[in-house]
Amino acid sequence: MDGPMHERIASDLRRRIASGELPVGAAVPSESQLCEQWQASRGPVRQALAALRADGLIGGGRGKPPVVRSQAISQPFETFLSFSRWAEGMGRTPGQRTVEIARRPAPPEAADALGLDEGEPVVQLLRLRLLDGLPTMIERTTFTWAAGRLLFDYDCDSGSVYAYLSGRGVDLSTARHVIDAVPADETDAALLGIAPGAPLLRERRHAGSARGEPVEYSDDRYRPDLVSFTIENSQQAHPSLLRSPSPGDPPRADLAWRAVP
């Protein structure tokens, strides 16, 4: 794996945690052990461990060796537009199985999201996404006809749809993401190998061009025992966290984030 030393160390530790080589509760190799293994100074090792702490994968008090806290792999927002790119960046193997791709009249929710009249032609794609061969996420994606029709000349099981569309000149420069939780329906349960009604993390994505022209609306559902989400904030980019509990309902947080070029 190429890249800075601290990223290589962190990626290897994430792989070992996700595979169960370092199970929850296990001690993480010490700084001195990691320095020896990687022939590195303490600086990159400490950066790698700090990244895993920020992801919630490891924990431990001051003066105590870190231990594994979670095996759920965190997905930063900057890689949300491509599951394949995110997985590969983590040193994992992405996979996909196309369940269905079809031209259909736009249903109401997708028509609203894409700025279309209900019934206009769109392309809908249903895929199961895999991480190291394990069913991890369900994609239900609706593309405008201009973009989606290109997929009929592409093997959607062969790799990243986003990379293919970008290579064909489709502008996917902006996105808005809304995160919530939903129970698994019958299709989710069958494809992910879980019980109907099991909780899933849902990400609804509206993606478009730099000029704001809608291109894609997606409803992606992740197994929460395998994937979690993180946000990195700065003075230049402010994600908004809106808390809107209804009377008598448990508090919930709706997260809206917009990436701009």
Side-chain angles (χ1 to χ4, degrees):
M1 177 180 175
D2 297 327
M5 178 62 74
H6 70 277
E7 291 182 1
R8 292 159 56 195
I9 297 171
S11 179
D12 183 64
L13 287 172
R14 290 189 183 101
R15 177 192 61 77
R16 294 171 67 184
I17 290 170
S19 69
E21 181 183 339
L22 290 173
V24 173
V28 177
S30 66
E31 288 185 10
S32 58
Q33 288 173 321
L34 290 171
C35 287
E36 182 178 355
Q37 176 188 345
W38 290 90
Q39 297 296 296
S41 64
R42 289 189 179 270
V45 167
R46 287 173 176 168
Q47 280 183 277
L49 293 175
L52 266 63
R53 285 183 185 275
D55 288 344
L57 292 176
I58 65 173
R62 286 183 172 274
K64 297 181 180 179
V67 296
V68 178
R69 296 295 195 204
S70 171
Q71 288 181 292
I73 303 171
S74 182
Q75 181 170 4
F77 275 88
E78 61 267 23
T79 64
F80 250 6
L81 294 188
S82 175
F83 181 93
S84 297
R85 176 185 167 196
W86 164 66
E88 290 166 352
M90 297 287 293
R92 309 294 294 278
T93 302
Q96 48 278 322
R97 177 162 64 85
T98 301
V99 179
E100 184 181 47
I101 180 170
R103 170 177 165 159
R104 289 199 176 95
E109 184 176 8
D112 289 344
L114 294 171
L116 303 173
D117 291 329
E118 188 176 339
E120 283 193 57
V122 294
V123 174
Q124 293 192 313
L125 176 66
L126 174 63
R127 287 202 299 175
L128 172 65
R129 304 310 303 269
L130 310 170
L131 198 59
D132 293 340
L134 187 65
T136 301
M137 185 261 279
I138 303 291
E139 284 181 336
R140 290 177 173 85
T141 307
T142 302
F143 290 98
T144 59
W145 174 248
R149 63 184 176 82
L150 301 174
L151 296 178
F152 291 113
D153 295 323
Y154 177 66
D155 178 3
C156 294
D157 286 350
S158 66
S160 170
V161 164
Y162 263 57
Y164 173 75
L165 291 177
S166 296
R168 294 292 303 273
V170 177
D171 183 357
L172 291 161
S173 301
T174 65
R176 182 175 183 271
H177 309 270
V178 178
I179 309 296
D180 61 4
V182 295
D185 64 21
E186 294 292 337
T187 300
D188 298 332
L191 291 174
L192 291 172
I194 57 177
L200 295 174
L201 286 172
R202 178 172 66 171
E203 176 234 340
R204 284 172 290 171
R205 180 177 61 255
H206 302 71
S209 70
R211 293 183 294 179
E213 300 160 327
V215 174
E216 175 223 30
Y217 170 69
S218 192
D219 178 318
D220 297 346
R221 302 182 182 195
Y222 294 79
R223 282 180 49 175
D225 58 326
L226 298 178
V227 177
S228 63
F229 304 115
T230 62
I231 307 168
E232 292 187 5
N233 198 4
S234 72
Q235 291 294 331
Q236 288 74 38
H238 298 280
S240 57
L241 184 63
L242 308 175
R243 299 185 185 274
S244 52
S246 300
D249 289 341
R252 58 174 292 201
D254 292 325
L255 175 65
W257 177 84
R258 183 173 180 82
V260 295

